[in-house]
Amino acid sequence: MFIVSLRYIVDLPTVDAHMEAHVAWLKDALADGWMLVAGRKVPREGGILIVRGEKADIEAKVATDPFVTNGVAEVTITEFNPSFVAPGLEFLKT
């Protein structure tokens, strides 16, 4: 499992110009099943994704995010092993 942290490196009007394509990318990732959660950071300086899969696959998929391809955000990918989960989320444990 991975936490993908996006940090905007441009102003918000530039971010917003690419938002529609980014949201379409997020919806596709959720439909494909490799992305579990996506949301905006507070304050609005980027976003967080919770994803699953093989690291090389995740890196390749994240590289196709329009925010990445258009130089809107830089990305940090952190792998973690969920040892404890709330009831109903047992499928997250590896």
Side-chain angles (χ1 to χ4, degrees):
M1 184 127 339
F2 298 87
I3 298 170
V4 178
S5 178
L6 293 94
R7 186 180 71 81
Y8 300 146
I9 54 175
V10 297
D11 59 22
L12 288 178
T14 304
V15 171
D16 290 339
H18 296 280
M19 187 62 71
E20 185 175 336
H22 173 69
V23 169
W25 179 85
L26 290 172
K27 288 178 179 180
D28 287 345
L30 288 165
D32 288 346
W34 65 273
M35 183 179 299
L36 302 173
V37 176
R40 189 179 282 176
K41 290 181 182 177
V42 178
R44 188 176 174 208
E45 57 190 27
I48 297 290
L49 316 174
I50 306 295
V51 302
R52 60 182 169 184
E54 298 297 320
K55 187 171 187 177
D57 293 337
I58 298 304
E59 290 170 336
K61 289 174 181 181
V62 169
T64 68
D65 178 350
F67 276 3
V68 175
T69 62
N70 290 292
V72 171
E74 65 181 17
V75 175
T76 303
I77 300 174
T78 304
E79 187 170 5
F80 77 103
N81 185 8
S83 299
F84 302 94
V85 298
L89 298 177
E90 291 83 8
F91 73 96
L92 294 175
K93 290 176 71 172
T94 55

Coordinates of all heavy atoms in Angstrom, one line a residue:
M1 N 0.9 -1.2 0.0 CA 0.0 0.0 0.0 C 0.9 1.2 0.0 O 2.0 1.2 0.5 CB -0.9 0.0 1.2 CG -1.9 1.1 1.3 SD -3.6 0.7 1.5 CE -3.8 -1.0 1.0
F2 N 0.4 2.3 -0.6 CA 1.2 3.5 -0.7 C 0.4 4.8 -0.5 O -0.8 4.8 -0.7 CB 1.7 3.6 -2.2 CG 2.6 2.5 -2.6 CD1 2.1 1.3 -3.1 CD2 4.0 2.6 -2.4 CE1 2.9 0.3 -3.5 CE2 4.8 1.5 -2.8 CZ 4.2 0.4 -3.3
I3 N 1.1 5.8 0.1 CA 0.5 7.1 0.2 C 1.2 7.9 -0.9 O 2.5 8.0 -0.9 CB 0.8 7.7 1.6 CG1 0.1 6.9 2.7 CG2 0.3 9.2 1.6 CD1 0.5 7.3 4.1
V4 N 0.4 8.5 -1.7 CA 1.0 9.4 -2.8 C 0.6 10.8 -2.3 O -0.6 11.2 -2.2 CB 0.4 9.1 -4.2 CG1 0.9 10.0 -5.2 CG2 0.6 7.6 -4.5
S5 N 1.6 11.6 -2.1 CA 1.5 13.0 -1.7 C 1.8 13.9 -2.9 O 2.9 13.9 -3.4 CB 2.3 13.3 -0.5 OG 2.2 14.7 -0.1
L6 N 0.8 14.7 -3.3 CA 1.1 15.7 -4.4 C 1.2 17.1 -3.7 O 0.4 17.4 -2.8 CB -0.1 15.7 -5.4 CG -0.3 14.5 -6.2 CD1 -1.2 13.5 -5.6 CD2 -0.7 14.8 -7.6
R7 N 2.2 17.8 -4.2 CA 2.4 19.2 -3.7 C 2.4 20.1 -4.9 O 3.2 19.9 -5.8 CB 3.7 19.3 -2.9 CG 3.9 20.7 -2.2 CD 5.2 20.8 -1.5 NE 6.4 20.8 -2.3 CZ 6.8 21.9 -3.0 NH1 6.2 23.0 -2.8 NH2 7.9 21.8 -3.7
Y8 N 1.5 21.1 -4.9 CA 1.5 22.0 -6.0 C 2.7 22.8 -6.0 O 3.3 23.3 -5.0 CB 0.3 23.0 -5.8 CG -1.1 22.3 -5.8 CD1 -2.1 22.9 -5.0 CD2 -1.4 21.2 -6.5 CE1 -3.4 22.3 -5.0 CE2 -2.6 20.6 -6.5 CZ -3.6 21.1 -5.7 OH -4.8 20.6 -5.7
I9 N 3.2 23.0 -7.3 CA 4.4 23.8 -7.5 C 4.2 25.0 -8.4 O 5.1 25.7 -8.9 CB 5.6 23.0 -8.0 CG1 5.2 22.2 -9.3 CG2 6.1 22.0 -6.9 CD1 6.3 21.4 -9.9
V10 N 2.9 25.3 -8.6 CA 2.4 26.4 -9.4 C 1.3 27.1 -8.6 O 0.8 26.6 -7.6 CB 2.0 26.0 -10.8 CG1 3.1 25.4 -11.6 CG2 0.8 25.1 -10.7
D11 N 0.9 28.3 -9.1 CA -0.2 29.0 -8.4 C -1.6 28.3 -8.7 O -1.7 27.5 -9.6 CB -0.3 30.4 -8.9 CG -0.5 30.6 -10.4 OD1 -1.0 29.7 -11.1 OD2 -0.1 31.7 -10.9
L12 N -2.5 28.6 -7.8 CA -3.8 27.9 -7.9 C -4.6 28.1 -9.2 O -5.2 27.2 -9.6 CB -4.7 28.3 -6.6 CG -4.2 27.7 -5.3 CD1 -5.1 28.2 -4.2 CD2 -4.2 26.2 -5.4
P13 N -4.5 29.3 -9.8 CA -5.2 29.4 -11.1 C -4.6 28.4 -12.1 O -5.4 27.8 -12.9 CB -4.9 30.8 -11.5 CG -4.8 31.6 -10.2 CD -4.1 30.6 -9.3
T14 N -3.3 28.1 -12.1 CA -2.7 27.1 -13.0 C -3.2 25.7 -12.6 O -3.5 24.9 -13.5 CB -1.2 27.2 -13.0 OG1 -0.8 28.6 -13.3 CG2 -0.6 26.3 -13.9
V15 N -3.3 25.5 -11.3 CA -3.8 24.2 -10.8 C -5.2 24.0 -11.3 O -5.5 22.9 -11.9 CB -3.8 24.1 -9.3 CG1 -4.5 22.9 -8.8 CG2 -2.4 24.1 -8.7
D16 N -6.0 25.0 -11.2 CA -7.4 24.9 -11.6 C -7.6 24.7 -13.1 O -8.5 24.0 -13.5 CB -8.2 26.2 -11.1 CG -8.4 26.2 -9.6 OD1 -8.3 25.1 -9.0 OD2 -8.6 27.3 -9.1
A17 N -6.7 25.2 -13.9 CA -6.7 25.0 -15.3 C -6.5 23.6 -15.7 O -7.0 23.1 -16.8 CB -5.6 25.9 -16.0
H18 N -5.9 22.7 -14.8 CA -5.7 21.3 -15.1 C -6.6 20.4 -14.3 O -6.5 19.2 -14.4 CB -4.2 21.0 -14.9 CG -3.3 21.7 -15.8 ND1 -3.1 21.3 -17.1 CD2 -2.6 22.8 -15.6 CE1 -2.3 22.1 -17.7 NE2 -1.9 23.1 -16.8
M19 N -7.5 21.0 -13.5 CA -8.3 20.2 -12.5 C -9.2 19.2 -13.2 O -9.4 18.1 -12.8 CB -9.1 21.2 -11.6 CG -9.8 20.4 -10.5 SD -8.7 19.6 -9.4 CE -7.9 21.0 -8.5
E20 N -9.9 19.6 -14.3 CA -10.8 18.8 -15.0 C -10.2 17.5 -15.4 O -10.7 16.4 -15.2 CB -11.5 19.5 -16.1 CG -12.6 18.6 -16.8 CD -13.3 19.4 -17.9 OE1 -13.3 20.7 -17.9 OE2 -13.9 18.7 -18.8
A21 N -9.0 17.6 -16.1 CA -8.2 16.4 -16.5 C -7.8 15.6 -15.4 O -7.8 14.4 -15.4 CB -7.1 16.9 -17.4
H22 N -7.3 16.2 -14.3 CA -6.9 15.5 -13.1 C -8.0 14.7 -12.5 O -7.9 13.5 -12.1 CB -6.3 16.5 -12.1 CG -5.9 15.9 -10.8 ND1 -4.9 15.0 -10.6 CD2 -6.5 16.1 -9.5 CE1 -4.8 14.7 -9.3 NE2 -5.8 15.3 -8.6
V23 N -9.2 15.3 -12.3 CA -10.4 14.7 -11.8 C -10.8 13.5 -12.6 O -11.1 12.4 -12.1 CB -11.5 15.6 -11.5 CG1 -12.8 14.9 -11.2 CG2 -11.2 16.6 -10.4
A24 N -10.7 13.6 -13.9 CA -11.0 12.5 -14.8 C -10.0 11.3 -14.6 O -10.4 10.2 -14.5 CB -11.0 12.9 -16.3
W25 N -8.7 11.7 -14.4 CA -7.7 10.7 -14.1 C -8.0 10.0 -12.8 O -7.9 8.8 -12.7 CB -6.3 11.4 -14.1 CG -5.2 10.5 -13.8 CD1 -4.5 9.7 -14.7 CD2 -4.6 10.3 -12.5 NE1 -3.5 9.1 -14.1 CE2 -3.5 9.4 -12.7 CE3 -4.8 10.8 -11.3 CZ2 -2.7 8.9 -11.7 CZ3 -4.0 10.4 -10.2 CH2 -3.0 9.4 -10.4
L26 N -8.4 10.8 -11.8 CA -8.7 10.2 -10.5 C -9.9 9.2 -10.6 O -9.8 8.1 -10.1 CB -9.1 11.3 -9.5 CG -8.0 12.2 -9.0 CD1 -8.6 13.3 -8.2 CD2 -6.9 11.4 -8.2
K27 N -10.9 9.6 -11.3 CA -12.1 8.7 -11.5 C -11.7 7.4 -12.2 O -12.2 6.3 -11.8 CB -13.2 9.5 -12.2 CG -13.9 10.5 -11.4 CD -14.9 11.3 -12.2 CE -15.6 12.3 -11.3 NZ -16.6 13.1 -12.1
D28 N -10.9 7.5 -13.2 CA -10.4 6.3 -13.9 C -9.6 5.4 -12.9 O -9.8 4.2 -12.9 CB -9.5 6.7 -15.1 CG -10.3 7.2 -16.3 OD1 -11.6 7.1 -16.3 OD2 -9.7 7.8 -17.2
A29 N -8.7 6.0 -12.1 CA -7.9 5.2 -11.2 C -8.8 4.5 -10.1 O -8.5 3.4 -9.8 CB -6.9 6.2 -10.5
L30 N -9.8 5.2 -9.7 CA -10.7 4.6 -8.7 C -11.5 3.5 -9.4 O -11.7 2.4 -8.8 CB -11.7 5.6 -8.2 CG -11.1 6.6 -7.2 CD1 -12.0 7.8 -7.0 CD2 -10.8 6.0 -5.8
A31 N -12.0 3.7 -10.6 CA -12.7 2.6 -11.3 C -11.8 1.4 -11.6 O -12.3 0.3 -11.6 CB -13.3 3.2 -12.6
D32 N -10.5 1.7 -11.8 CA -9.6 0.6 -12.1 C -9.2 -0.2 -10.9 O -8.7 -1.3 -10.9 CB -8.3 1.1 -12.7 CG -8.5 1.6 -14.2 OD1 -9.5 1.2 -14.8 OD2 -7.5 2.3 -14.7
G33 N -9.5 0.3 -9.7 CA -9.3 -0.4 -8.4 C -8.0 -0.2 -7.7 O -7.8 -0.7 -6.6
W34 N -7.1 0.4 -8.4 CA -5.7 0.6 -7.7 C -5.7 1.8 -6.8 O -4.9 1.8 -5.8 CB -4.6 0.7 -8.7 CG -4.6 1.9 -9.6 CD1 -5.3 2.0 -10.8 CD2 -3.9 3.1 -9.4 NE1 -5.0 3.2 -11.3 CE2 -4.2 3.9 -10.5 CE3 -3.0 3.5 -8.4 CZ2 -3.7 5.2 -10.7 CZ3 -2.5 4.8 -8.6 CH2 -2.8 5.6 -9.7
M35 N -6.6 2.8 -7.0 CA -6.7 3.9 -6.1 C -7.9 3.6 -5.1 O -8.9 3.3 -5.6 CB -6.8 5.2 -6.8 CG -6.9 6.4 -5.9 SD -7.1 8.0 -6.8 CE -5.6 8.0 -7.8
L36 N -7.6 3.8 -3.8 CA -8.7 3.6 -2.9 C -9.3 4.9 -2.3 O -10.5 4.9 -2.0 CB -8.1 2.8 -1.7 CG -7.5 1.4 -2.0 CD1 -6.9 0.8 -0.8 CD2 -8.6 0.5 -2.6
V37 N -8.5 5.9 -2.2 CA -8.9 7.2 -1.6 C -8.1 8.3 -2.3 O -7.0 8.2 -2.5 CB -8.6 7.2 -0.1 CG1 -9.0 8.6 0.5 CG2 -9.3 6.1 0.7
A38 N -8.8 9.4 -2.5 CA -8.2 10.6 -3.0 C -8.8 11.9 -2.4 O -10.0 11.9 -2.1 CB -8.3 10.7 -4.5
G39 N -8.0 12.8 -2.0 CA -8.6 14.1 -1.4 C -7.6 15.2 -1.4 O -6.3 15.0 -1.5
R40 N -8.1 16.4 -1.2 CA -7.3 17.6 -1.2 C -6.7 17.8 0.2 O -7.3 17.5 1.2 CB -8.3 18.7 -1.5 CG -7.7 20.1 -1.7 CD -8.7 21.1 -2.1 NE -9.1 21.0 -3.5 CZ -10.1 21.7 -4.0 NH1 -10.8 22.5 -3.3 NH2 -10.4 21.5 -5.3
K41 N -5.5 18.3 0.2 CA -4.9 18.7 1.5 C -5.5 20.0 2.0 O -6.0 20.8 1.2 CB -3.4 19.0 1.3 CG -2.5 17.8 1.0 CD -1.1 18.2 0.9 CE -0.2 17.0 0.6 NZ 1.2 17.4 0.3
V42 N -5.5 20.2 3.3 CA -6.0 21.4 3.9 C -4.9 21.9 4.8 O -4.4 21.3 5.7 CB -7.2 21.1 4.8 CG1 -7.7 22.4 5.5 CG2 -8.4 20.5 4.0
P43 N -4.4 23.1 4.4 CA -4.8 24.1 3.4 C -4.5 23.5 2.0 O -3.8 22.5 1.8 CB -4.0 25.3 3.7 CG -2.8 24.9 4.4 CD -3.2 23.7 5.2
R44 N -5.2 24.1 1.0 CA -5.1 23.6 -0.4 C -3.7 23.9 -1.0 O -3.4 24.8 -1.7 CB -6.2 24.4 -1.2 CG -6.3 23.8 -2.6 CD -7.4 24.4 -3.4 NE -7.4 23.9 -4.7 CZ -7.8 24.5 -5.8 NH1 -8.3 25.8 -5.6 NH2 -7.8 24.0 -7.0
E45 N -2.9 22.9 -0.7 CA -1.5 23.0 -1.3 C -1.1 21.7 -2.0 O 0.0 21.5 -2.4 CB -0.5 23.2 -0.1 CG -0.6 22.2 1.0 CD 0.2 22.6 2.2 OE1 0.4 23.8 2.5 OE2 0.6 21.7 2.9
G46 N -2.1 20.8 -2.2 CA -1.8 19.5 -2.9 C -2.9 18.5 -2.6 O -4.0 18.9 -2.2
G47 N -2.6 17.3 -2.7 CA -3.5 16.2 -2.4 C -2.9 15.0 -1.9 O -1.6 14.8 -2.0
I48 N -3.7 14.0 -1.4 CA -3.2 12.8 -0.9 C -4.0 11.7 -1.6 O -5.2 11.8 -1.7 CB -3.4 12.6 0.6 CG1 -2.6 13.7 1.4 CG2 -3.1 11.2 1.1 CD1 -1.1 13.4 1.3
L49 N -3.3 10.6 -2.0 CA -3.9 9.4 -2.6 C -3.5 8.2 -1.8 O -2.3 8.1 -1.4 CB -3.5 9.2 -4.1 CG -3.5 10.5 -5.0 CD1 -2.9 10.1 -6.3 CD2 -4.8 11.1 -5.1
I50 N -4.4 7.3 -1.6 CA -4.1 6.0 -1.0 C -4.3 5.0 -2.1 O -5.4 4.9 -2.6 CB -5.0 5.7 0.2 CG1 -4.9 6.8 1.3 CG2 -4.6 4.3 0.8 CD1 -3.6 7.1 1.9
V51 N -3.2 4.3 -2.4 CA -3.3 3.4 -3.5 C -2.7 2.0 -3.2 O -2.0 1.9 -2.2 CB -2.5 4.0 -4.7 CG1 -3.1 5.3 -5.1 CG2 -1.0 4.1 -4.5
R52 N -2.9 1.0 -4.0 CA -2.4 -0.3 -3.8 C -1.8 -0.8 -5.1 O -2.3 -0.5 -6.2 CB -3.4 -1.2 -3.2 CG -4.6 -1.4 -4.0 CD -5.6 -2.3 -3.4 NE -6.9 -2.3 -4.1 CZ -8.0 -2.9 -3.7 NH1 -7.9 -3.6 -2.6 NH2 -9.1 -2.8 -4.4
G53 N -0.9 -1.7 -5.0 CA -0.3 -2.4 -6.2 C 1.2 -2.5 -6.0 O 1.7 -2.3 -4.9
E54 N 1.9 -2.8 -7.1 CA 3.4 -2.9 -7.1 C 4.0 -1.5 -7.3 O 3.4 -0.7 -8.0 CB 3.8 -3.8 -8.2 CG 3.3 -5.2 -8.0 CD 3.8 -5.9 -6.7 OE1 5.0 -5.7 -6.4 OE2 3.0 -6.6 -6.1
K55 N 5.1 -1.2 -6.6 CA 5.6 0.1 -6.6 C 5.9 0.6 -8.0 O 5.6 1.7 -8.4 CB 6.9 0.2 -5.8 CG 7.4 1.6 -5.6 CD 8.5 1.7 -4.7 CE 8.8 3.2 -4.5 NZ 9.9 3.4 -3.5
A56 N 6.5 -0.2 -8.9 CA 6.8 0.2 -10.2 C 5.6 0.6 -11.0 O 5.5 1.6 -11.8 CB 7.6 -0.9 -11.0
D57 N 4.5 -0.2 -10.8 CA 3.2 0.1 -11.5 C 2.6 1.4 -10.9 O 2.1 2.2 -11.7 CB 2.2 -1.0 -11.2 CG 2.6 -2.3 -11.9 OD1 3.4 -2.3 -12.9 OD2 2.1 -3.4 -11.4
I58 N 2.7 1.6 -9.6 CA 2.2 2.9 -9.1 C 2.9 4.1 -9.6 O 2.4 5.1 -10.0 CB 2.2 2.8 -7.5 CG1 1.4 1.7 -7.0 CG2 1.9 4.2 -6.9 CD1 -0.1 1.7 -7.4
E59 N 4.3 4.0 -9.6 CA 5.1 5.1 -10.1 C 4.7 5.4 -11.6 O 4.6 6.5 -12.0 CB 6.6 4.7 -10.0 CG 7.1 4.7 -8.6 CD 8.5 4.1 -8.5 OE1 8.9 3.3 -9.3 OE2 9.1 4.4 -7.5
A60 N 4.5 4.3 -12.4 CA 4.2 4.5 -13.8 C 2.8 5.2 -13.9 O 2.6 6.1 -14.8 CB 4.2 3.2 -14.5
K61 N 1.8 4.7 -13.1 CA 0.5 5.3 -13.2 C 0.5 6.7 -12.7 O -0.2 7.6 -13.4 CB -0.5 4.4 -12.4 CG -0.7 3.1 -13.0 CD -1.6 2.2 -12.1 CE -1.8 0.9 -12.8 NZ -2.6 -0.1 -12.0
V62 N 1.1 7.0 -11.6 CA 1.2 8.4 -11.1 C 1.8 9.3 -12.1 O 1.4 10.5 -12.2 CB 1.9 8.4 -9.7 CG1 2.1 9.8 -9.3 CG2 1.0 7.7 -8.7
A63 N 2.8 8.8 -12.9 CA 3.5 9.7 -13.9 C 2.5 10.1 -15.0 O 2.8 11.1 -15.7 CB 4.6 8.9 -14.4
T64 N 1.4 9.5 -15.1 CA 0.4 9.9 -16.1 C -0.7 10.9 -15.6 O -1.5 11.3 -16.4 CB -0.3 8.6 -16.7 OG1 -1.2 8.0 -15.7 CG2 0.6 7.6 -17.2
D65 N -0.6 11.2 -14.4 CA -1.6 12.2 -13.8 C -1.3 13.5 -14.5 O -0.2 14.0 -14.6 CB -1.3 12.3 -12.3 CG -2.2 13.4 -11.6 OD1 -2.9 14.1 -12.3 OD2 -2.1 13.4 -10.4
P66 N -2.4 14.1 -15.1 CA -2.2 15.4 -15.7 C -1.5 16.5 -14.9 O -0.8 17.4 -15.4 CB -3.6 15.8 -16.1 CG -4.3 14.5 -16.2 CD -3.7 13.6 -15.2
F67 N -1.7 16.4 -13.5 CA -0.9 17.3 -12.7 C 0.6 17.1 -12.8 O 1.3 18.1 -12.7 CB -1.4 17.2 -11.2 CG -2.6 18.0 -10.8 CD1 -3.3 18.7 -11.8 CD2 -3.0 17.9 -9.5 CE1 -4.5 19.4 -11.4 CE2 -4.2 18.6 -9.1 CZ -4.9 19.4 -10.1
V68 N 1.0 15.9 -13.0 CA 2.4 15.6 -13.1 C 2.9 15.9 -14.5 O 3.9 16.5 -14.7 CB 2.6 14.1 -12.7 CG1 4.1 13.7 -13.0 CG2 2.2 13.8 -11.3
T69 N 2.2 15.4 -15.5 CA 2.6 15.6 -16.9 C 2.7 17.1 -17.3 O 3.4 17.5 -18.2 CB 1.7 14.8 -17.9 OG1 0.4 15.3 -17.8 CG2 1.8 13.3 -17.6
N70 N 1.8 17.9 -16.6 CA 1.8 19.3 -16.9 C 2.6 20.2 -16.0 O 2.5 21.4 -16.0 CB 0.4 19.8 -17.0 CG -0.3 19.3 -18.2 OD1 0.0 19.6 -19.3 ND2 -1.3 18.4 -18.0
G71 N 3.4 19.5 -15.1 CA 4.3 20.3 -14.2 C 3.5 21.1 -13.1 O 4.0 22.1 -12.6
V72 N 2.3 20.6 -12.7 CA 1.5 21.3 -11.7 C 1.9 20.9 -10.3 O 1.9 21.7 -9.4 CB 0.0 21.0 -12.0 CG1 -0.8 21.5 -10.8 CG2 -0.4 21.6 -13.3
A73 N 2.3 19.6 -10.1 CA 2.6 19.1 -8.8 C 3.8 18.2 -8.8 O 4.1 17.5 -9.8 CB 1.4 18.3 -8.3
E74 N 4.5 18.2 -7.7 CA 5.5 17.2 -7.5 C 5.0 16.1 -6.6 O 4.1 16.4 -5.8 CB 6.8 17.8 -7.0 CG 6.7 18.4 -5.6 CD 8.0 19.0 -5.1 OE1 8.9 19.2 -5.9 OE2 8.2 19.2 -3.9
V75 N 5.5 14.9 -6.7 CA 4.9 13.7 -6.1 C 5.9 13.0 -5.2 O 7.1 12.9 -5.6 CB 4.4 12.7 -7.1 CG1 3.9 11.5 -6.5 CG2 3.3 13.4 -8.0
T76 N 5.5 12.6 -4.0 CA 6.2 11.7 -3.2 C 5.4 10.5 -2.9 O 4.2 10.6 -2.6 CB 6.5 12.4 -1.8 OG1 7.2 13.6 -2.0 CG2 7.3 11.5 -0.9
I77 N 6.0 9.3 -3.1 CA 5.4 8.0 -2.9 C 6.0 7.3 -1.8 O 7.2 7.1 -1.7 CB 5.4 7.2 -4.2 CG1 4.8 7.9 -5.4 CG2 4.8 5.8 -4.0 CD1 5.0 7.2 -6.7
T78 N 5.2 7.0 -0.8 CA 5.6 6.4 0.5 C 4.9 5.0 0.6 O 3.7 5.0 0.7 CB 5.3 7.3 1.7 OG1 5.9 8.5 1.5 CG2 5.9 6.6 3.0
E79 N 5.7 4.0 0.7 CA 5.1 2.6 0.9 C 4.9 2.4 2.4 O 5.7 2.9 3.2 CB 6.0 1.6 0.4 CG 5.4 0.2 0.4 CD 6.2 -0.9 -0.3 OE1 7.3 -0.5 -0.8 OE2 5.7 -2.0 -0.4
F80 N 3.8 1.8 2.8 CA 3.5 1.4 4.1 C 2.7 0.1 4.2 O 2.1 -0.3 3.2 CB 2.8 2.5 4.9 CG 1.3 2.6 4.6 CD1 0.4 2.2 5.5 CD2 0.9 3.2 3.5 CE1 -1.0 2.3 5.3 CE2 -0.5 3.4 3.2 CZ -1.4 2.9 4.1
N81 N 2.8 -0.6 5.3 CA 2.2 -1.8 5.6 C 1.1 -1.6 6.6 O 1.4 -1.4 7.8 CB 3.2 -2.9 6.0 CG 2.5 -4.2 6.1 OD1 1.4 -4.4 5.8 ND2 3.3 -5.2 6.7
P82 N -0.2 -1.6 6.3 CA -1.2 -1.4 7.3 C -1.4 -2.6 8.2 O -1.9 -3.6 7.8 CB -2.5 -1.2 6.4 CG -2.2 -1.7 5.1 CD -0.7 -1.7 4.9
S83 N -0.9 -2.4 9.4 CA -1.0 -3.5 10.4 C -2.3 -3.5 11.2 O -2.7 -4.5 11.7 CB 0.2 -3.3 11.4 OG 1.4 -3.4 10.7
F84 N -2.9 -2.3 11.4 CA -4.1 -2.1 12.1 C -5.1 -1.4 11.3 O -4.8 -0.3 10.7 CB -3.8 -1.4 13.5 CG -2.8 -2.0 14.3 CD1 -1.5 -1.7 14.3 CD2 -3.2 -3.0 15.2 CE1 -0.5 -2.3 15.1 CE2 -2.3 -3.6 16.0 CZ -0.9 -3.3 15.9
V85 N -6.3 -1.9 11.3 CA -7.4 -1.2 10.5 C -8.7 -1.2 11.3 O -8.9 -2.1 12.1 CB -7.6 -1.9 9.1 CG1 -6.3 -1.8 8.2 CG2 -8.0 -3.4 9.2
A86 N -9.5 -0.3 10.9 CA -10.9 -0.3 11.6 C -11.7 -1.4 11.0 O -11.5 -1.9 9.9 CB -11.5 1.1 11.2
P87 N -12.7 -1.9 11.8 CA -13.6 -2.9 11.4 C -14.2 -2.5 10.0 O -14.6 -1.4 9.8 CB -14.7 -3.0 12.5 CG -14.0 -2.5 13.7 CD -13.0 -1.4 13.2
G88 N -14.2 -3.5 9.1 CA -14.7 -3.3 7.8 C -13.7 -3.0 6.8 O -13.9 -3.0 5.6
L89 N -12.5 -2.7 7.3 CA -11.4 -2.4 6.3 C -10.3 -3.4 6.3 O -9.2 -3.2 5.9 CB -10.8 -1.0 6.7 CG -11.7 0.2 6.6 CD1 -11.0 1.4 7.1 CD2 -12.2 0.3 5.2
E90 N -10.6 -4.6 6.8 CA -9.6 -5.7 6.9 C -9.0 -6.0 5.5 O -7.8 -6.5 5.5 CB -10.3 -7.0 7.4 CG -10.7 -6.9 8.9 CD -12.0 -6.2 9.1 OE1 -12.8 -5.9 8.1 OE2 -12.4 -5.9 10.3
F91 N -9.7 -5.8 4.4 CA -9.1 -6.0 3.1 C -7.8 -5.2 2.8 O -7.1 -5.5 1.9 CB -10.1 -5.7 2.0 CG -10.4 -4.3 1.8 CD1 -9.8 -3.6 0.8 CD2 -11.4 -3.6 2.6 CE1 -10.1 -2.2 0.6 CE2 -11.6 -2.3 2.4 CZ -11.0 -1.6 1.3
L92 N -7.6 -4.1 3.6 CA -6.4 -3.3 3.4 C -5.2 -3.9 4.0 O -4.1 -3.5 3.6 CB -6.6 -1.9 4.1 CG -7.7 -1.1 3.5 CD1 -7.9 0.2 4.3 CD2 -7.4 -0.7 2.1
K93 N -5.3 -4.9 4.9 CA -4.1 -5.5 5.5 C -3.5 -6.4 4.5 O -4.2 -7.1 3.8 CB -4.5 -6.3 6.8 CG -4.9 -5.3 7.9 CD -5.4 -6.1 9.1 CE -4.3 -6.8 9.8 NZ -4.7 -7.3 11.1
T94 N -2.2 -6.4 4.5 CA -1.5 -7.3 3.6 C -0.9 -8.5 4.3 O -0.8 -8.6 5.5 CB -0.3 -6.5 2.9 OG1 0.5 -6.0 4.0 CG2 -0.8 -5.4 2.1

